[in-house]
Amino acid sequence: MALALAGSALVAGAAVEAQAARINNRVAVFSGIDKITGRITTFDVYIDETVQFGALQVTPRVCYSRDETEAQKIDAFVEVDEITLDRKIRRIFSGWMFAESPGLNAVEHPIYDVWLKDCKQKSDVPAPDNAQN
């Protein structure tokens, strides 16, 4: 019995070690479509920065990826607000987006759709003034 328990503990310990560590990235990469023009735009957004895409304001709070040796699982916690015609801001999405399942939690709007594409450490877009280096 003790041997069986020791073996179970060893297997459980190996399972914990096999889990890939999440990498906390500085930049989230999104794609968005303007349904009127059919134009798809890909844009980088720094964590805690707000970027406007059409009438939407996109703010990623975290963006996680996995080590290059692991199967990638890209996910981000994102808040999306809509600027209404009377200039009010209304939250239309707050939750997790998953790059490998863009339709699962994509932001769907009558004119604009936004979904997560990737996470990365650096961007060609200059960092906002309040970004940590």
Side-chain angles (χ1 to χ4, degrees):
M1 175 103 172
L3 185 59
L5 289 175
S8 296
L10 183 61
V11 170
V16 170
E17 289 178 25
Q19 292 179 351
R22 294 191 300 189
I23 297 171
N24 197 356
N25 294 280
R26 295 183 61 219
V27 180
V29 181
F30 295 93
S31 283
I33 185 168
D34 178 328
K35 296 177 188 177
I36 304 298
T37 65
R39 181 176 299 173
I40 296 176
T41 304
T42 299
F43 53 98
D44 294 354
V45 185
Y46 284 86
I47 300 305
D48 293 325
E49 176 190 22
T50 299
V51 169
Q52 189 159 342
F53 174 71
L56 303 181
Q57 293 181 333
V58 180
T59 308
R61 298 298 180 189
V62 294
C63 196
Y64 297 124
S65 60
R66 305 297 182 272
D67 185 273
E68 293 176 4
T69 62
E70 301 292 330
Q72 285 301 305
K73 292 187 179 184
I74 308 295
D75 51 356
F77 189 86
V78 182
E79 297 171 345
V80 180
D81 298 321
E82 175 188 29
I83 302 172
T84 63
L85 293 175
D86 58 354
R87 309 290 293 157
K88 293 182 181 169
I89 296 175
R90 179 174 61 104
R91 173 88 16 107
I92 62 170
F93 180 84
S94 180
W96 290 95
M97 290 186 176
F98 306 96
E100 50 277 338
S101 300
L104 182 63
N105 281 351
V107 174
E108 295 183 17
H109 179 269
I111 299 172
Y112 306 101
D113 287 353
V114 175
W115 61 95
L116 179 68
K117 296 282 290 179
D118 200 1
C119 295
K120 58 187 182 179
Q121 288 295 323
K122 296 183 180 188
S123 174
D124 293 336
V125 175
D129 291 337
N130 62 350
Q132 297 175 1
N133 292 328

